[in-house]
Amino acid sequence: MTISNASPQLYNEDLAPAKERNWGPFSIFNVWTSDVHSLWGYYLAASLFLFCGSFVNFLIAIGIGSLIIYFLMNMVGIAGVRTGVPFPVLARASFGIWGANLPAMVRAIVACFWYGAQTAAAAGAIVALLIRHESMLQFHQTSHFLGHSTLEVICFVVIWALQLLIIQRGMETVRRFQDWAGPAVWVMMLILAIYLVIKAGGVSLTGDIPMDVLLEKTRDAGVPGVPGSFEALAAVAAIWVTYFAALYLNFCDFSRYSPDERSLRIGNIWGLPVNLILFSLVAGITTIAAFEVYGELLVHPDQISAKFDSWFLALLAAVTFAVATLGINVVANFVSPAFDFANVFPKHITFKRGGVIAALIALLLYPFAPWESGAAHFVNVIGATMGPIFGVMMVDYYLIRKGWLNVEDLYRENGEYRFQNGWHVNALIAAGIGILFSSILPNFTNLLPAWWGVYGWFFGVAIAGAIYYGLRARDVGAVPKTA
């Protein structure tokens, strides 16, 4: 689609509707293999396994969560296919042409946090390999810089720089990279699981890890109920859904390149419920086998690979996990802020420059390492901030506009989406109240029950969506007739 009379303040070639649509089901599938198959994805899955008390409970909780994820990703993905626009441009329909910069900045800042977390995880895999050598171990233990060991800092900077190289050639390079990086991790995950199962002499999926061990490991995680209880299983499903909160917003950054909705759904069905459940199955088997072999619960894959007798296998694991983490960072935490920052100043910031800005912010966050607060807690705090934005956007797109947008006006200063001087007050009020109840009150006050924060993303979606719908109901006469 060619946009006529587009405002230079709202348009550049990177933000324009996608022209080449060659991301078929396999490429969409590999968006998810790249996003899930990372050190953080494994860490979260293994951590959630501990709350379930048994393997069957784990698969039930993860399975229900994965089906919810599939449904939600189809919602935002279809909007991307139909309009061809990236997330910050899609947000203009509900938040206004200038107001959309606020949700774009929220998503960009969240991506910067995740960018740092994933890069640190990849660096940790390399560190775990290097300290197998005695001299490196001594260097790691004795030399420190910026609150970390100097070796950790060096590995972080190297991994950080490698990611910048991938993105320099644009979105087509991203597609080609993820098409082989995601499957490569599956191979390594299977090797890891098979190696440990053989060492353990086989693993019984009905055999449970002792409750006293689980209670000790999960005591301070902030998840309600004891492992295996209904409360714990519901929390596991909720945390699994919340883990993908960022991509609920910007999955249209990728689905916009899909040729049709059928390709999107096929890629999503294999990449989400099927892939997520199988990945979690392998993570669970590996966790049980590692407990049998080493007598301790190891939820970090680099902790497991560090114990391998084979140096070659440890090297293979470290490199593969590092590549996998590069994949998720490029897909989930580079592409989105690149578009988001470009949306704020499209005349001056291109897709590549926006990505570099995100990478630099992640680098500045590294000394503070806010992601070291535990997997479940970090996911909930970060994810909950984006629930209200998702609620407003989906209510606007499906309930108010019935799945139709005037795409050309998304790029015009005086078009349909100008609202109040470029800001849609209804959306800002709804999202603001939603964020109050999803993030601020549960994390910074004691006014709400302790379990509220686990479901913060869901409360944010529901509260913001309902308020927005109520406010928009007063303006129903102003909503254009849908196609």
Side-chain angles (χ1 to χ4, degrees):
M1 173 184 292
T2 301
I3 305 298
S4 59
N5 301 319
S7 168
Q9 303 299 324
L10 297 170
Y11 180 91
N12 65 26
E13 286 300 319
D14 294 318
L15 296 174
K19 296 178 180 178
E20 293 187 13
R21 299 196 169 202
N22 57 355
W23 289 46
F26 184 68
S27 292
I28 296 297
F29 166 77
N30 278 322
V31 167
W32 303 121
T33 58
S34 294
D35 183 69
V36 177
H37 303 166
S38 67
L39 287 168
W40 248 93
Y42 178 95
Y43 172 37
L44 180 62
S47 297
L48 294 180
F49 177 79
L50 305 183
F51 297 110
C52 294
S54 73
F55 204 87
V56 173
N57 285 345
F58 178 60
L59 290 183
I60 291 173
I62 291 295
I64 292 173
S66 298
L67 290 174
I68 295 172
I69 294 166
Y70 169 71
F71 173 76
L72 296 173
M73 287 300 179
N74 274 344
M75 288 181 67
V76 68
I78 287 171
V81 173
R82 291 178 181 176
T83 63
V85 303
F87 156 65
V89 175
L90 184 66
R92 295 172 186 173
S94 49
F95 286 87
I97 54 173
W98 308 129
N101 287 329
L102 288 181
M105 285 299 95
V106 170
R107 175 63 182 94
I109 291 170
V110 167
C112 294
F113 275 82
W114 270 118
Y115 193 101
Q118 295 286 1
T119 304
I126 302 301
V127 169
L129 173 69
L130 295 177
I131 61 177
R132 294 170 70 96
H133 194 280
E134 186 175 344
S135 61
M136 284 292 184
L137 177 60
Q138 183 178 5
F139 177 62
H140 175 61
Q141 294 173 338
T142 58
S143 179
H144 294 83
F145 182 63
L146 295 177
H148 302 270
S149 81
T150 305
L151 182 61
E152 288 175 335
V153 174
I154 293 171
C155 291
F156 182 93
V157 172
V158 169
I159 296 295
W160 176 88
L162 285 175
Q163 293 169 114
L164 294 179
L165 298 178
I166 298 172
I167 206 68
Q168 290 306 303
R169 297 179 65 87
M171 285 296 291
E172 186 60 19
T173 300
V174 172
R175 182 185 69 83
R176 289 197 297 267
F177 175 78
Q178 71 178 20
D179 280 355
W180 70 266
V185 182
W186 251 121
V187 174
M188 189 61 235
M189 286 291 297
L190 291 174
I191 292 174
L192 182 68
I194 292 170
Y195 174 84
L196 288 171
V197 167
I198 292 174
K199 287 205 69 172
V203 174
S204 173
L205 299 184
T206 59
D208 298 336
I209 297 171
M211 181 59 70
D212 60 330
V213 177
L214 293 175
L215 287 172
E216 174 64 25
K217 194 73 174 180
T218 61
R219 182 174 52 192
D220 300 320
V223 173
V226 298
S229 66
F230 175 81
E231 294 88 345
L233 296 183
V236 165
I239 294 168
W240 193 235
V241 172
T242 303
Y243 177 58
F244 294 87
L247 276 163
Y248 298 137
L249 294 184
N250 80 290
F251 178 48
C252 56
D253 290 344
F254 305 95
S255 66
R256 64 194 289 240
Y257 299 107
S258 185
D260 50 57
E261 294 178 23
R262 180 177 179 275
S263 297
L264 175 77
R265 290 192 175 94
I266 293 173
N268 277 351
I269 193 72
W270 287 101
L272 288 169
V274 174
N275 177 54
L276 290 178
I277 293 171
L278 289 177
F279 177 81
S280 300
L281 176 70
V282 173
I285 291 173
T286 305
T287 302
I288 295 175
F291 180 76
E292 293 290 333
V293 173
Y294 303 116
E296 56 182 315
L297 290 175
L298 302 172
V299 295
H300 290 278
D302 50 306
Q303 292 176 334
I304 298 173
S305 62
K307 293 179 176 292
F308 286 170
D309 298 327
S310 167
W311 188 90
F312 174 76
L313 193 57
L315 171 64
L316 186 61
V319 171
T320 306
F321 286 133
V323 168
T325 304
L326 295 183
I328 185 176
N329 253 1
V330 169
V331 168
N333 306 318
F334 201 114
V335 170
S336 177
F339 283 127
D340 296 338
F341 287 126
N343 186 70
V344 179
F345 301 108
K347 289 180 64 176
H348 307 289
I349 299 178
T350 63
F351 173 80
K352 294 179 183 178
R353 289 178 181 173
V356 170
I357 292 172
L360 288 173
I361 293 174
L363 187 63
L364 293 174
L365 286 171
Y366 178 64
F368 308 100
W371 42 82
E372 293 181 356
S373 59
H377 180 71
F378 180 74
V379 166
N380 280 329
V381 171
I382 292 296
T385 60
M386 293 173 286
I389 297 171
F390 181 77
V392 168
M393 291 180 62
M394 292 300 99
V395 166
D396 183 80
Y397 185 75
Y398 284 102
L399 299 185
I400 302 298
R401 303 184 185 278
K402 311 300 182 185
W404 180 89
L405 293 176
N406 184 339
V407 174
E408 291 194 354
D409 269 11
L410 293 171
Y411 300 91
R412 293 170 178 161
E413 289 189 42
N414 295 307
E416 177 184 334
Y417 309 109
R418 184 171 178 82
F419 299 110
Q420 295 85 27
N421 295 317
W423 301 78
H424 192 190
V425 175
N426 288 343
L428 297 175
I429 291 173
I433 296 175
I435 290 174
L436 177 68
F437 283 94
S438 69
S439 300
I440 297 175
L441 292 180
N443 291 304
F444 300 102
T445 74
N446 295 318
L447 298 176
L448 297 174
W451 50 263
W452 186 285
V454 173
Y455 303 95
W457 183 87
F458 295 87
F459 283 119
V461 171
I463 292 171
I467 291 174
Y468 180 76
Y469 187 80
L471 292 174
R472 286 290 278 158
R474 302 175 310 174
D475 306 329
V476 67
V479 176
K481 186 177 180 180
T482 58

